[in-house]
Amino acid sequence: MMTTLPTTAQLTERARTALERCGASGFEAPAPTGQSARTPITGEPLFDIAYSTSAETDQAIGTAQETFRTVWRDTPAPQRGNLVRRLGELLREHKDDLADLVTIEAGKIRSEAAGEVQEMIDICDFALGLSRQLYGRTMPSERPGHRLMETWHPLGVVGIITAFNFPVAVWSWNTAVALVCGNTIVWKPSELSPLTALACHGLLMRACQDVGAPMGVHQVVLGEREVGARLVDDPRVALLSATGSVRMGQQVGPRVAARMGRCLLELGGNNAAVIAPSADLDLAVRGTVFAAAGTAGQRCTTLRRVIVHEDIADQLTDRIVGAYGQLRPRIGDPFDDDTLVGPLIAERAHTALHGALERAAADGGRVLTGGERCLEKEAPDAYYVEPAVVRMPSQSEIVCEETFAPILYVLTYRTLDEAIELHNGVTQGLSSAIFTQDQREAERFLAASDCGIVNVNIGTSGAEIGGAFGGEKDTGGGRESGSDAWRAYMRRATNTVNYSDELPLAQGVNFL
């Protein structure tokens, strides 16, 4: 077990350095006006930062709206793309600085933190190309001398509410695409990850200066639920993109709908992988372990259920438990290159993990490995845990819930129909996978999985930016990142152009 952790003083200095290098300034605010930024690595506060007041939040929305109306929506899309291009260049220059902040605030191991920043770079590349490809259609008109077409236009102010587990990538998915579509941004990050937001805002402001874009295109507001609620309820926010729990989405969605606003919701997942008898077990074990234990089980795409054929269940389970044994000595300092599992975000995640394990045991589950807290002596205010594997006799109530912690439930099946029924038998619908070398099984699963992401012979996590990201059912139905997800940030207009000197009506109607 790794036991050497950096001190809070060391992490504080590293965070300050990264923030200053990214162009963030004036971020510290003494108590009582400030709130503490914390790190899950030691569980202790770093320094105080200023939260946004209600008046400051309203002003931020107003600035974004005015910038949209007076400048940004009329700026040609390729010029808007130039801003995103420059942001991508700055992200490349400051990849290590941002990765430092992601590790300090979210507890991600170094390679995952760097990978998250790479996602930001990739989406900037994607959005730059998109700025010249916001295509509409031309359709044949039934009337002579007429042209029928559709055009796409920006919405206005886009509010973005992000979660702690991907503190910068999800912001970039929304921001890069929304900006080239002609929208302006107000971002409310998680109260658990404000420092990454300040750094990203600093880099984007530098990009605005470098290319001559208006500074008002992007605003950051810091705070807790009250600040997010102002974005939810303000009619000036044309689209609210919110990432978080299903419960959060169930509250946000109706409130935005009540004011006839638009929502883009990315909510919880309870992701499963079906392991068929024909599966390459080496591949299945590797894919399962990363998807289940990566980010200490704190991804929305984390693998939470393995549905394995009963003929290979014991063999697969033994191999997964063996692989988890190799993780145990590699839990610890996420800055250490040998570490594979960093800390949980906070005490409440640890409480949820143990509550779930107790409920699983009451339902007949058997913990095969993990679930124990570690490094408690070295960091009494931090929460490091051994990822757990639990053999379950059935898909009980606790298995159908998402516990945002590293618990992997193992269930068995006899027929593929039964596996698909188990897989779809939860309210969430984000990511799914099947491991099989049988093409018929693979194709049936691709058609039958009710998730927004369906994979074959890879795990449930690790989406690329080229595809649209999002899920169905309680996951919210939103789509971000690649493919045609850009359409969520624009409004469609159907246009008819009459270039004749007649005025025929559609459907042969005669009137005058």
Side-chain angles (χ1 to χ4, degrees), residues 332-421:
D333 176 13
F335 278 109
D336 190 315
D337 289 339
D338 289 331
T339 299
L340 294 178
V341 181
L344 296 177
I345 190 65
E347 181 180 10
R348 67 171 180 264
H350 179 255
T351 301
L353 179 143
H354 272 279
L357 292 178
E358 289 174 359
R359 289 176 60 188
D363 291 336
R366 182 163 53 95
V367 177
L368 303 179
T369 187
E372 297 301 318
R373 186 177 175 187
C374 46
L375 301 181
E376 189 173 2
K377 182 181 295 185
E378 293 76 14
D381 296 315
Y383 292 87
Y384 295 82
V385 297
E386 298 177 10
V389 178
V390 184
R391 187 76 175 261
M392 296 297 295
S394 64
Q395 188 156 271
S396 62
E397 183 178 353
I398 185 58
V399 178
C400 293
E401 297 177 9
E402 180 190 37
T403 302
F404 221 58
I407 304 176
L408 179 64
Y409 300 109
V410 179
L411 305 115
T412 60
Y413 75 93
R414 289 184 295 275
T415 68
L416 185 58
D417 285 341
E418 182 184 357
I420 291 170
E421 184 177 355

Coordinates of all heavy atoms in Angstrom, one line a residue, residues 332-421:
G332 N -3.3 5.3 -3.6 CA -2.6 6.4 -2.9 C -2.5 7.7 -3.6 O -3.4 8.1 -4.3
D333 N -1.3 8.3 -3.5 CA -1.1 9.6 -4.1 C -1.3 9.6 -5.6 O -0.6 9.0 -6.4 CB 0.4 10.0 -3.8 CG 0.8 11.3 -4.4 OD1 -0.1 12.1 -4.9 OD2 2.0 11.6 -4.5
P334 N -2.3 10.4 -6.0 CA -2.6 10.4 -7.5 C -1.6 11.0 -8.3 O -1.6 10.8 -9.5 CB -4.0 11.1 -7.5 CG -4.0 11.9 -6.3 CD -3.3 11.2 -5.3
F335 N -0.6 11.7 -7.7 CA 0.5 12.3 -8.5 C 1.6 11.3 -8.7 O 2.4 11.5 -9.6 CB 1.1 13.5 -7.8 CG 0.3 14.8 -8.0 CD1 -0.5 15.4 -7.0 CD2 0.3 15.4 -9.2 CE1 -1.2 16.5 -7.1 CE2 -0.4 16.6 -9.4 CZ -1.1 17.2 -8.4
D336 N 1.6 10.2 -8.0 CA 2.6 9.1 -8.2 C 2.2 8.3 -9.4 O 1.1 7.8 -9.6 CB 2.6 8.2 -7.0 CG 3.8 7.3 -7.0 OD1 4.1 6.7 -8.0 OD2 4.4 7.1 -5.9
D337 N 3.2 8.2 -10.4 CA 2.9 7.5 -11.6 C 2.5 6.0 -11.4 O 1.9 5.4 -12.3 CB 4.1 7.6 -12.5 CG 4.3 9.0 -13.1 OD1 3.4 9.7 -13.1 OD2 5.5 9.3 -13.5
D338 N 2.9 5.4 -10.3 CA 2.5 4.0 -10.0 C 1.1 3.9 -9.4 O 0.6 2.7 -9.4 CB 3.5 3.4 -9.0 CG 4.9 3.2 -9.7 OD1 4.9 3.0 -10.9 OD2 5.9 3.2 -9.0
T339 N 0.5 4.9 -9.0 CA -0.9 4.8 -8.4 C -1.9 4.6 -9.5 O -1.9 5.2 -10.6 CB -1.2 6.1 -7.7 OG1 -0.3 6.4 -6.6 CG2 -2.6 6.1 -7.1
L340 N -2.8 3.7 -9.2 CA -4.0 3.4 -10.1 C -5.3 3.8 -9.5 O -6.2 4.1 -10.3 CB -4.0 1.9 -10.4 CG -2.9 1.3 -11.2 CD1 -3.0 -0.2 -11.4 CD2 -2.7 2.0 -12.5
V341 N -5.4 4.0 -8.2 CA -6.7 4.4 -7.6 C -6.4 5.5 -6.6 O -5.6 5.3 -5.6 CB -7.3 3.2 -6.9 CG1 -8.7 3.7 -6.2 CG2 -7.6 2.1 -7.8
G342 N -7.0 6.7 -6.8 CA -6.9 7.8 -5.9 C -8.0 7.8 -4.9 O -8.7 6.8 -4.7
P343 N -8.2 9.0 -4.3 CA -9.2 9.1 -3.2 C -10.6 9.2 -3.7 O -10.9 9.7 -4.9 CB -8.8 10.3 -2.5 CG -8.2 11.2 -3.6 CD -7.5 10.2 -4.5
L344 N -11.6 8.9 -2.9 CA -13.0 9.4 -3.1 C -13.0 10.9 -2.9 O -12.2 11.5 -2.2 CB -13.9 8.7 -2.1 CG -14.0 7.1 -2.3 CD1 -15.0 6.6 -1.2 CD2 -14.5 6.8 -3.7
I345 N -14.0 11.5 -3.4 CA -14.1 13.0 -3.4 C -14.3 13.5 -2.0 O -13.8 14.5 -1.6 CB -15.2 13.5 -4.3 CG1 -15.1 15.0 -4.5 CG2 -16.6 13.1 -3.9 CD1 -13.8 15.5 -5.2
A346 N -15.1 12.8 -1.1 CA -15.4 13.3 0.2 C -16.0 12.2 1.0 O -16.2 11.1 0.6 CB -16.4 14.5 0.1
E347 N -16.2 12.5 2.3 CA -16.7 11.6 3.3 C -18.1 11.0 2.8 O -18.3 9.8 3.0 CB -16.9 12.2 4.6 CG -17.4 11.3 5.7 CD -17.5 11.9 7.1 OE1 -17.4 13.2 7.1 OE2 -17.7 11.2 8.1
R348 N -18.9 11.8 2.2 CA -20.2 11.3 1.9 C -20.1 10.1 0.8 O -21.0 9.2 0.8 CB -21.1 12.4 1.3 CG -20.7 13.0 0.0 CD -21.8 14.0 -0.5 NE -21.4 14.6 -1.8 CZ -20.9 15.8 -1.9 NH1 -20.6 16.5 -0.8 NH2 -20.6 16.3 -3.1
A349 N -19.1 10.1 0.0 CA -18.9 9.0 -0.9 C -18.6 7.8 -0.2 O -19.1 6.7 -0.5 CB -17.9 9.4 -2.0
H350 N -17.7 7.9 0.8 CA -17.4 6.7 1.6 C -18.6 6.2 2.4 O -18.8 5.0 2.5 CB -16.3 7.1 2.6 CG -15.8 6.0 3.5 ND1 -16.2 6.0 4.8 CD2 -15.0 4.9 3.3 CE1 -15.6 4.9 5.4 NE2 -14.9 4.3 4.4
T351 N -19.4 7.1 2.9 CA -20.6 6.7 3.6 C -21.6 5.9 2.7 O -22.2 4.9 3.1 CB -21.3 7.9 4.2 OG1 -20.4 8.6 5.1 CG2 -22.6 7.5 5.0
A352 N -21.7 6.5 1.5 CA -22.6 5.8 0.5 C -22.1 4.4 0.1 O -22.9 3.5 0.0 CB -22.7 6.7 -0.8
L353 N -20.8 4.3 0.0 CA -20.2 3.0 -0.3 C -20.5 1.9 0.7 O -21.0 0.8 0.4 CB -18.7 3.1 -0.5 CG -17.9 1.8 -0.8 CD1 -16.8 2.1 -1.8 CD2 -17.3 1.2 0.4
H354 N -20.3 2.3 2.0 CA -20.5 1.3 3.1 C -22.0 1.0 3.2 O -22.4 -0.1 3.5 CB -19.9 1.8 4.4 CG -18.5 1.3 4.5 ND1 -18.2 0.0 4.9 CD2 -17.3 1.9 4.2 CE1 -16.8 -0.1 4.9 NE2 -16.3 1.0 4.4
G355 N -22.9 2.1 3.0 CA -24.3 1.8 3.1 C -24.8 0.9 2.0 O -25.6 0.0 2.2
A356 N -24.2 1.0 0.8 CA -24.5 0.1 -0.3 C -24.1 -1.3 0.0 O -24.8 -2.3 -0.3 CB -23.9 0.6 -1.6
L357 N -22.9 -1.5 0.5 CA -22.4 -2.8 0.8 C -23.3 -3.5 1.9 O -23.5 -4.7 1.8 CB -20.9 -2.8 1.2 CG -19.9 -2.3 0.2 CD1 -18.5 -2.3 0.8 CD2 -19.9 -3.3 -1.0
E358 N -23.7 -2.7 2.8 CA -24.6 -3.3 3.9 C -25.9 -3.8 3.3 O -26.4 -4.8 3.6 CB -24.8 -2.3 5.0 CG -23.6 -2.1 5.8 CD -23.8 -0.9 6.9 OE1 -24.9 -0.3 6.9 OE2 -22.8 -0.7 7.6
R359 N -26.5 -2.9 2.4 CA -27.7 -3.3 1.8 C -27.6 -4.5 0.8 O -28.4 -5.4 0.7 CB -28.3 -2.1 1.0 CG -28.8 -1.0 1.9 CD -29.2 0.2 1.1 NE -30.3 -0.1 0.2 CZ -30.8 0.7 -0.7 NH1 -30.2 1.9 -0.8 NH2 -31.8 0.4 -1.5
A360 N -26.4 -4.6 0.1 CA -26.2 -5.7 -0.7 C -26.1 -7.0 0.1 O -26.6 -8.0 -0.3 CB -24.9 -5.5 -1.5
A361 N -25.4 -6.9 1.2 CA -25.3 -8.1 2.1 C -26.7 -8.5 2.6 O -27.0 -9.7 2.7 CB -24.4 -7.8 3.3
A362 N -27.5 -7.6 2.9 CA -28.9 -7.9 3.4 C -29.7 -8.6 2.3 O -30.6 -9.3 2.6 CB -29.6 -6.6 3.9
D363 N -29.3 -8.3 1.0 CA -30.0 -8.9 -0.1 C -29.4 -10.2 -0.6 O -29.7 -10.7 -1.6 CB -30.0 -7.9 -1.3 CG -30.9 -6.7 -1.0 OD1 -31.9 -6.9 -0.2 OD2 -30.7 -5.7 -1.7
G364 N -28.5 -10.7 0.2 CA -27.8 -12.0 -0.1 C -26.5 -11.9 -0.8 O -25.9 -12.9 -1.3
G365 N -26.0 -10.7 -1.0 CA -24.7 -10.5 -1.7 C -23.6 -10.9 -0.8 O -23.6 -10.9 0.4
R366 N -22.5 -11.2 -1.5 CA -21.3 -11.6 -0.8 C -20.1 -10.8 -1.3 O -19.8 -10.8 -2.5 CB -21.0 -13.1 -1.1 CG -19.8 -13.7 -0.4 CD -19.9 -15.2 -0.3 NE -20.1 -15.8 -1.7 CZ -19.1 -16.2 -2.5 NH1 -17.8 -16.1 -2.1 NH2 -19.4 -16.7 -3.6
V367 N -19.5 -10.0 -0.4 CA -18.3 -9.2 -0.8 C -17.1 -10.1 -1.0 O -16.7 -10.8 -0.1 CB -18.0 -8.2 0.3 CG1 -16.7 -7.4 -0.1 CG2 -19.2 -7.2 0.5
L368 N -16.6 -10.2 -2.2 CA -15.5 -11.0 -2.6 C -14.1 -10.4 -2.3 O -13.2 -11.0 -2.0 CB -15.6 -11.4 -4.0 CG -16.9 -12.1 -4.5 CD1 -16.8 -12.5 -5.9 CD2 -17.1 -13.4 -3.6
T369 N -14.1 -9.1 -2.4 CA -12.9 -8.3 -2.1 C -13.2 -6.8 -2.0 O -14.2 -6.4 -2.5 CB -11.8 -8.5 -3.2 OG1 -10.6 -7.9 -2.8 CG2 -12.3 -7.9 -4.5
G370 N -12.4 -6.1 -1.2 CA -12.5 -4.7 -1.2 C -13.5 -4.1 -0.2 O -14.2 -4.8 0.6
G371 N -13.7 -2.8 -0.4 CA -14.7 -2.1 0.5 C -14.1 -1.4 1.7 O -14.7 -0.7 2.4
E372 N -12.8 -1.8 2.0 CA -12.2 -1.3 3.2 C -11.5 0.0 3.0 O -10.9 0.3 1.9 CB -11.2 -2.3 3.7 CG -11.8 -3.6 4.1 CD -12.8 -3.5 5.2 OE1 -12.6 -2.7 6.2 OE2 -13.9 -4.2 5.1
R373 N -11.6 0.9 4.0 CA -10.9 2.2 4.0 C -9.4 1.9 4.2 O -9.0 1.1 5.0 CB -11.4 3.1 5.0 CG -10.9 4.5 4.9 CD -11.5 5.5 5.9 NE -10.9 6.8 5.9 CZ -11.2 7.7 6.8 NH1 -12.1 7.5 7.7 NH2 -10.6 8.9 6.7
C374 N -8.5 2.7 3.6 CA -7.1 2.6 3.8 C -6.5 4.0 3.8 O -7.1 5.0 3.5 CB -6.4 1.8 2.6 SG -7.0 2.2 1.0
L375 N -5.2 4.1 4.3 CA -4.5 5.3 4.4 C -5.1 6.2 5.4 O -4.9 7.4 5.4 CB -4.3 6.0 3.1 CG -3.5 5.2 2.0 CD1 -3.4 6.1 0.8 CD2 -2.2 4.8 2.5
E376 N -6.0 5.7 6.3 CA -6.7 6.5 7.3 C -5.7 7.2 8.3 O -5.9 8.3 8.7 CB -7.7 5.7 8.1 CG -8.6 6.5 9.0 CD -9.7 5.6 9.6 OE1 -9.7 4.4 9.3 OE2 -10.5 6.2 10.3
K377 N -4.6 6.5 8.6 CA -3.6 7.0 9.5 C -2.8 8.2 8.9 O -2.6 9.2 9.5 CB -2.6 6.0 10.0 CG -1.6 6.4 11.0 CD -0.7 5.3 11.4 CE -1.4 4.2 12.2 NZ -0.4 3.2 12.7
E378 N -2.5 8.0 7.6 CA -1.7 9.0 6.9 C -2.5 10.2 6.5 O -2.0 11.3 6.5 CB -1.1 8.4 5.6 CG -0.1 7.3 5.8 CD -0.7 6.0 6.3 OE1 -1.9 5.8 6.1 OE2 0.1 5.1 6.7
A379 N -3.8 10.0 6.3 CA -4.7 11.1 5.9 C -6.1 10.9 6.5 O -7.0 10.5 5.9 CB -4.8 11.2 4.4
P380 N -6.2 11.3 7.8 CA -7.5 11.0 8.5 C -8.7 11.7 7.9 O -9.8 11.3 8.1 CB -7.2 11.4 9.9 CG -6.0 12.4 9.8 CD -5.2 11.9 8.7
D381 N -8.5 12.8 7.2 CA -9.6 13.6 6.6 C -9.9 13.2 5.1 O -10.8 13.8 4.5 CB -9.3 15.1 6.7 CG -9.2 15.5 8.2 OD1 -10.1 15.1 9.0 OD2 -8.3 16.3 8.5
A382 N -9.1 12.3 4.6 CA -9.3 11.8 3.2 C -9.9 10.4 3.2 O -9.8 9.7 4.2 CB -7.9 11.9 2.5
Y383 N -10.4 10.0 2.1 CA -11.1 8.7 2.0 C -10.6 7.9 0.8 O -11.1 8.1 -0.3 CB -12.6 9.0 2.0 CG -13.1 9.6 3.3 CD1 -13.1 11.0 3.5 CD2 -13.5 8.8 4.3 CE1 -13.5 11.5 4.7 CE2 -13.9 9.3 5.5 CZ -13.9 10.7 5.7 OH -14.3 11.2 6.9
Y384 N -9.7 7.1 1.1 CA -9.2 6.1 0.2 C -9.8 4.8 0.5 O -9.9 4.4 1.7 CB -7.6 6.0 0.3 CG -6.9 7.3 -0.1 CD1 -6.7 8.3 0.8 CD2 -6.4 7.4 -1.4 CE1 -6.1 9.5 0.4 CE2 -5.7 8.6 -1.8 CZ -5.6 9.6 -0.9 OH -4.9 10.7 -1.2
V385 N -10.3 4.0 -0.5 CA -10.9 2.8 -0.3 C -10.4 1.7 -1.3 O -9.9 2.1 -2.4 CB -12.4 2.8 -0.4 CG1 -13.0 3.8 0.7 CG2 -12.9 3.3 -1.8
E386 N -10.5 0.5 -0.9 CA -10.2 -0.6 -1.8 C -11.4 -0.9 -2.7 O -12.5 -1.1 -2.1 CB -9.8 -1.9 -1.1 CG -8.6 -1.7 -0.2 CD -8.3 -3.0 0.6 OE1 -9.0 -4.0 0.3 OE2 -7.4 -2.9 1.5
P387 N -11.4 -0.8 -4.0 CA -12.5 -1.1 -4.9 C -13.1 -2.5 -4.5 O -12.4 -3.5 -4.2 CB -11.9 -1.1 -6.3 CG -10.8 -0.2 -6.2 CD -10.2 -0.4 -4.8
A388 N -14.4 -2.6 -4.5 CA -15.1 -3.8 -4.0 C -15.7 -4.6 -5.2 O -16.2 -4.0 -6.2 CB -16.2 -3.4 -3.0
V389 N -15.8 -5.9 -5.0 CA -16.5 -6.8 -6.0 C -17.5 -7.6 -5.1 O -17.1 -8.1 -4.1 CB -15.5 -7.7 -6.7 CG1 -16.3 -8.7 -7.6 CG2 -14.5 -7.0 -7.5
V390 N -18.7 -7.6 -5.5 CA -19.8 -8.2 -4.8 C -20.5 -9.2 -5.7 O -21.1 -8.8 -6.7 CB -20.8 -7.2 -4.2 CG1 -21.8 -7.9 -3.3 CG2 -20.0 -6.1 -3.4
R391 N -20.6 -10.4 -5.3 CA -21.4 -11.5 -6.0 C -22.8 -11.4 -5.5 O -23.1 -11.5 -4.3 CB -20.8 -12.9 -5.7 CG -21.4 -14.0 -6.6 CD -20.9 -13.9 -8.0 NE -21.4 -15.1 -8.8 CZ -20.7 -16.2 -9.0 NH1 -19.5 -16.3 -8.5 NH2 -21.3 -17.2 -9.7
M392 N -23.8 -11.2 -6.4 CA -25.2 -11.0 -6.1 C -26.0 -12.1 -6.6 O -25.8 -12.5 -7.8 CB -25.7 -9.6 -6.6 CG -25.1 -8.4 -6.0 SD -25.3 -8.2 -4.2 CE -27.1 -8.0 -4.2
P393 N -27.0 -12.6 -5.8 CA -27.9 -13.7 -6.3 C -28.9 -13.1 -7.3 O -29.5 -13.9 -8.1 CB -28.6 -14.2 -5.1 CG -28.5 -13.0 -4.1 CD -27.3 -12.3 -4.4
S394 N -29.2 -11.8 -7.3 CA -30.2 -11.2 -8.1 C -30.0 -9.7 -8.2 O -29.2 -9.2 -7.5 CB -31.6 -11.5 -7.6 OG -31.8 -10.9 -6.4
Q395 N -30.7 -9.1 -9.2 CA -30.6 -7.7 -9.3 C -31.5 -7.0 -8.4 O -32.6 -6.6 -8.7 CB -30.8 -7.3 -10.8 CG -30.5 -5.8 -11.1 CD -30.3 -5.6 -12.5 OE1 -29.1 -5.7 -13.0 NE2 -31.3 -5.3 -13.3
S396 N -31.1 -6.8 -7.1 CA -31.9 -6.3 -6.1 C -32.0 -4.8 -6.2 O -31.4 -4.2 -7.1 CB -31.4 -6.7 -4.7 OG -30.1 -6.2 -4.5
E397 N -32.7 -4.2 -5.2 CA -33.0 -2.7 -5.3 C -31.7 -2.0 -5.3 O -31.5 -1.0 -6.0 CB -33.8 -2.3 -4.1 CG -34.2 -0.9 -4.1 CD -35.1 -0.5 -3.0 OE1 -35.6 -1.4 -2.3 OE2 -35.4 0.7 -2.8
I398 N -30.7 -2.4 -4.4 CA -29.4 -1.6 -4.3 C -28.6 -1.7 -5.6 O -28.0 -0.7 -6.0 CB -28.6 -2.1 -3.1 CG1 -27.4 -1.2 -3.0 CG2 -28.2 -3.5 -3.2 CD1 -27.7 0.3 -2.8
V399 N -28.7 -2.8 -6.3 CA -28.0 -3.0 -7.6 C -28.6 -2.1 -8.6 O -27.9 -1.6 -9.5 CB -28.1 -4.5 -8.0 CG1 -27.4 -4.6 -9.4 CG2 -27.4 -5.4 -7.0
C400 N -29.9 -1.8 -8.5 CA -30.5 -0.9 -9.5 C -30.3 0.6 -9.2 O -30.7 1.4 -10.0 CB -32.0 -1.2 -9.5 SG -32.5 -2.8 -10.1
E401 N -29.6 0.9 -8.1 CA -29.3 2.3 -7.8 C -27.8 2.6 -8.2 O -27.0 1.6 -8.2 CB -29.5 2.6 -6.3 CG -30.9 2.4 -5.8 CD -31.1 2.6 -4.3 OE1 -30.1 3.0 -3.7 OE2 -32.2 2.3 -3.8
E402 N -27.5 3.8 -8.5 CA -26.1 4.2 -8.7 C -25.5 4.7 -7.5 O -25.9 5.7 -6.9 CB -26.1 5.3 -9.8 CG -24.6 5.7 -10.1 CD -24.5 7.0 -10.9 OE1 -25.4 7.9 -10.7 OE2 -23.6 7.1 -11.8
T403 N -24.5 3.9 -7.0 CA -23.6 4.4 -5.9 C -22.4 4.9 -6.5 O -21.6 4.2 -7.1 CB -23.3 3.2 -4.9 OG1 -24.6 2.7 -4.4 CG2 -22.5 3.7 -3.7
F404 N -22.1 6.2 -6.3 CA -20.9 6.8 -6.9 C -19.7 6.5 -6.2 O -19.0 7.4 -5.5 CB -21.2 8.4 -7.0 CG -20.7 9.0 -8.3 CD1 -21.3 8.5 -9.5 CD2 -19.8 10.0 -8.3 CE1 -20.9 9.1 -10.7 CE2 -19.4 10.6 -9.5 CZ -19.9 10.1 -10.7
A405 N -19.3 5.2 -6.2 CA -18.1 4.7 -5.5 C -17.8 3.4 -6.2 O -18.6 2.8 -6.9 CB -18.4 4.5 -4.0
P406 N -16.6 2.9 -5.9 CA -16.1 1.7 -6.7 C -16.7 0.4 -6.2 O -16.0 -0.4 -5.5 CB -14.6 1.8 -6.5 CG -14.4 2.4 -5.2 CD -15.5 3.4 -5.1
I407 N -17.9 0.1 -6.5 CA -18.5 -1.2 -6.2 C -18.9 -1.8 -7.5 O -19.7 -1.2 -8.3 CB -19.8 -1.0 -5.3 CG1 -19.5 -0.3 -4.0 CG2 -20.4 -2.4 -5.0 CD1 -20.7 0.0 -3.2
L408 N -18.5 -3.1 -7.8 CA -18.9 -3.8 -8.9 C -19.7 -5.0 -8.5 O -19.2 -5.9 -7.8 CB -17.6 -4.3 -9.7 CG -17.8 -5.1 -10.9 CD1 -18.5 -4.3 -12.0 CD2 -16.5 -5.7 -11.5
Y409 N -20.9 -5.1 -9.0 CA -21.8 -6.2 -8.7 C -21.7 -7.2 -9.8 O -21.8 -6.9 -11.0 CB -23.3 -5.7 -8.6 CG -23.5 -4.7 -7.5 CD1 -23.8 -3.4 -7.8 CD2 -23.5 -5.1 -6.1 CE1 -24.0 -2.4 -6.8 CE2 -23.7 -4.1 -5.1 CZ -24.0 -2.8 -5.5 OH -24.2 -1.9 -4.5
V410 N -21.6 -8.5 -9.4 CA -21.6 -9.6 -10.4 C -22.8 -10.4 -10.3 O -23.2 -10.9 -9.3 CB -20.4 -10.5 -10.1 CG1 -20.3 -11.7 -11.1 CG2 -19.0 -9.7 -10.1
L411 N -23.5 -10.5 -11.5 CA -24.7 -11.3 -11.6 C -24.5 -12.3 -12.7 O -23.7 -12.2 -13.6 CB -25.9 -10.4 -12.0 CG -26.2 -9.3 -11.0 CD1 -26.0 -7.9 -11.7 CD2 -27.6 -9.4 -10.4
T412 N -25.4 -13.3 -12.8 CA -25.2 -14.4 -13.8 C -26.5 -14.5 -14.6 O -27.6 -14.1 -14.2 CB -24.9 -15.8 -13.1 OG1 -26.0 -16.1 -12.3 CG2 -23.6 -15.7 -12.4
Y413 N -26.3 -15.1 -15.8 CA -27.5 -15.3 -16.7 C -27.3 -16.6 -17.4 O -26.2 -17.2 -17.5 CB -27.6 -14.2 -17.7 CG -26.6 -14.2 -18.8 CD1 -26.9 -14.8 -20.1 CD2 -25.3 -13.6 -18.7 CE1 -25.9 -14.8 -21.1 CE2 -24.4 -13.6 -19.7 CZ -24.7 -14.2 -20.9 OH -23.8 -14.2 -22.0
R414 N -28.4 -17.1 -18.0 CA -28.4 -18.4 -18.8 C -28.6 -18.1 -20.2 O -27.9 -18.8 -21.1 CB -29.5 -19.3 -18.3 CG -29.3 -19.9 -16.9 CD -30.4 -20.9 -16.5 NE -31.7 -20.2 -16.4 CZ -32.1 -19.6 -15.3 NH1 -31.3 -19.6 -14.2 NH2 -33.3 -19.0 -15.2
T415 N -29.5 -17.2 -20.6 CA -29.7 -16.9 -22.1 C -29.4 -15.4 -22.3 O -29.5 -14.6 -21.4 CB -31.1 -17.3 -22.5 OG1 -32.0 -16.3 -21.8 CG2 -31.5 -18.7 -22.1
L416 N -29.1 -15.1 -23.6 CA -28.9 -13.7 -23.9 C -30.1 -12.9 -23.7 O -30.0 -11.7 -23.2 CB -28.4 -13.6 -25.4 CG -28.0 -12.2 -25.8 CD1 -26.8 -11.7 -24.9 CD2 -27.6 -12.2 -27.3
D417 N -31.3 -13.4 -23.9 CA -32.5 -12.6 -23.6 C -32.6 -12.3 -22.1 O -32.9 -11.1 -21.8 CB -33.7 -13.5 -24.0 CG -34.0 -13.5 -25.5 OD1 -33.4 -12.7 -26.2 OD2 -34.7 -14.4 -25.9
E418 N -32.2 -13.2 -21.3 CA -32.2 -12.9 -19.8 C -31.1 -11.9 -19.5 O -31.4 -11.0 -18.7 CB -31.9 -14.2 -19.0 CG -31.9 -14.0 -17.5 CD -31.5 -15.3 -16.8 OE1 -31.2 -16.3 -17.4 OE2 -31.4 -15.2 -15.5
A419 N -30.0 -11.9 -20.1 CA -28.9 -10.9 -19.9 C -29.4 -9.6 -20.3 O -29.1 -8.6 -19.6 CB -27.6 -11.3 -20.7
I420 N -30.0 -9.5 -21.5 CA -30.5 -8.2 -21.9 C -31.6 -7.6 -21.0 O -31.6 -6.4 -20.7 CB -31.0 -8.3 -23.4 CG1 -29.8 -8.6 -24.3 CG2 -31.8 -7.0 -23.8 CD1 -30.2 -8.9 -25.7
E421 N -32.5 -8.5 -20.5 CA -33.5 -8.1 -19.6 C -32.9 -7.5 -18.3 O -33.3 -6.5 -17.8 CB -34.4 -9.2 -19.2 CG -35.6 -8.8 -18.3 CD -36.5 -10.0 -18.1 OE1 -36.4 -11.0 -18.7 OE2 -37.5 -9.8 -17.3

